[in-house]
Amino acid sequence: MTIMFTKCAFGLSLALLLSIVVAIGLGPAAVPPQDTLRYLGAALTGGTIALDEVPVYEIIWQLRTPRVLLAAVVGAGLAAVGVGVQALVRNALADPFVLGISSGASVGAVTVLVTGVVVGVYAVSLGAFLGALTAAALVHLVARTASPLRLVLTGIALAYAFQAAMALLVYLVPQGESTATVLYWTLGGFGAATWGALPVVAVLVVAGLVVLRRWAGDLDLLALGDETAVSSGLDVRALRTRLFLLTSLMTGAMVAVSGAIGFVGLIVPHLVRMVTGAVHGRVLVLAPLVGAVLAVWVDLLARTVVAPRELPLGVVTALVGVPVFLVLLRRRAYVFGSTR
């Protein structure tokens, strides 16, 4: 198992690097891989390029590279948060948005879009992040305890409330452009990626991945049930509270820059467990890599299938995720948290 795990990790890392290079080069104006690498090298080392290559270079470095890197970061983060949330609520159907954080972020972003209460380049992202934190605070306050059932029910109830609030905002401010922007944003996408926004979310996601990996042993105990975990000396309530806060912060940061992207955090943990088993130390290494590769390719499909128009990312993830998840459900050998 250890040798297979090492090979999987190495293979996925290589696949991610190749996927990033290919995705940066492909688009309405395709660029060969060798030229893509040359432009990236020039940008990173301060090299020179010919004057007639500047427009293509700008497309590669200023537009596609931050977008593809953001897709990889968000995909990795969503997959890892999916693992964490499924352990938090011990529910195979849980994903990063089951606790209402995504809906709260959507309300914050829509408020900015339709009212213009905040101005600036990152106004929508700021509104989404504040909305996500507000939603997390409300869920934690209303739930009062970190029991799995109470968290899920509270999150679902508040998600409906946030969705109603978002619909009301759009209805009261009937502007065609704003409505279209709201619809696109709530379905997710990386079209607004910039070099300015990338470092913040990358730092938060990487830090969250490190913390989740350090908690892997505790998550294994948590998956065995509260009684077993408590008898092993684990403070279950404190762990659930920390896990809830961490996953909420990571989800808020990702939704703030990409909108709500479904299915990545739901199906990736299941796919990885089929290979590695239920040990979180292994799942939390492979799941971010699989999520990153998946997000990069899904984003590439979204911006090339109907080019020059662009599909909302949530549409593509649903078209990919629903069949995969249904196949998983039909596999009698698969049980959540196991590979029996």
Side-chain angles (χ1 to χ4, degrees):
M1 178 65 76
T2 302
I3 296 177
M4 184 178 70
F5 169 74
T6 303
K7 290 182 178 179
C8 287
F10 177 78
L12 286 170
S13 300
L14 183 60
L16 177 58
L17 291 175
L18 292 175
S19 298
I20 288 174
V21 173
V22 171
I24 291 174
L26 292 180
V31 180
Q34 62 271 21
D35 289 338
T36 301
L37 291 172
R38 183 163 57 86
Y39 294 143
L40 293 176
L44 294 173
T45 62
T48 59
I49 58 173
L51 186 61
D52 61 341
E53 294 181 309
V54 171
V56 178
Y57 168 81
E58 290 293 325
I59 292 174
I60 291 295
W61 182 247
Q62 295 297 340
L63 297 179
R64 292 185 188 170
T65 301
R67 175 173 183 148
V68 172
L69 293 180
L70 182 63
V73 168
V74 171
L78 288 175
V81 171
V83 175
V85 171
Q86 288 173 8
L88 171 65
V89 300
R90 291 210 311 273
N91 191 320
L93 297 178
D95 70 357
F97 306 130
V98 73
L99 299 178
I101 311 301
S102 171
S103 298
S106 297
V107 171
V110 170
T111 300
V112 173
L113 283 169
V114 302
T115 65
V117 293
V118 181
V119 294
V121 178
Y122 304 113
V124 176
S125 294
L126 177 61
F129 187 65
L130 293 177
L133 295 184
T134 302
L138 286 174
V139 171
H140 192 63
L141 179 64
V142 175
R144 288 194 298 277
T145 66
S147 65
L149 181 59
R150 189 181 292 271
L151 279 174
V152 171
L153 293 178
T154 303
I156 291 174
L158 289 180
Y160 278 111
F162 289 136
Q163 289 170 9
M166 181 176 63
L168 180 62
L169 283 170
V170 176
Y171 178 77
L172 293 177
V173 188
Q175 302 174 22
E177 187 69 25
S178 296
T179 303
T181 304
V182 167
L183 178 62
Y184 181 85
W185 191 90
T186 53
L187 289 174
F190 302 114
T194 64
W195 283 114
L198 179 62
V200 177
V201 66
V203 168
L204 288 173
V205 168
V206 171
L209 292 177
V210 172
V211 175
L212 283 173
R213 182 65 178 80
R214 293 187 63 179
W215 291 349
D218 292 341
L219 296 181
D220 288 336
L221 291 176
L222 193 63
L224 296 175
D226 289 4
E227 292 184 2
T228 303
V230 170
S231 66
S232 301
L234 180 66
D235 189 339
V236 171
R237 184 171 181 176
L239 175 61
R240 279 210 174 94
T241 300
R242 295 196 304 269
L243 190 56
F244 171 76
L245 294 175
L246 177 63
T247 54
S248 297
L249 181 63
M250 292 176 67
T251 302
M254 291 183 289
V255 173
V257 295
S258 65
I261 300 173
F263 281 101
V264 176
L266 175 62
I267 64 173
V268 170
H270 291 285
L271 292 173
V272 173
R273 288 191 193 98
M274 292 178 64
V275 177
T276 67
V279 179
H280 283 86
R282 292 172 177 168
V283 174
L284 286 168
V285 171
L286 297 188
L289 293 172
V290 175
V293 172
L294 177 62
V296 167
W297 282 100
V298 166
D299 177 60
L300 179 61
L301 287 175
R303 59 187 168 89
T304 57
V305 169
V306 292
R309 300 183 66 185
E310 185 175 319
L311 289 173
L313 210 61
V315 173
V316 183
T317 55
L319 291 175
V320 174
V322 170
V324 171
F325 193 66
L326 291 177
V327 170
L328 285 177
L329 291 178
R330 290 181 59 84
R331 287 177 60 94
R332 295 181 179 179
Y334 179 72
V335 179
F336 172 63
S338 179
T339 53
R340 296 195 302 272

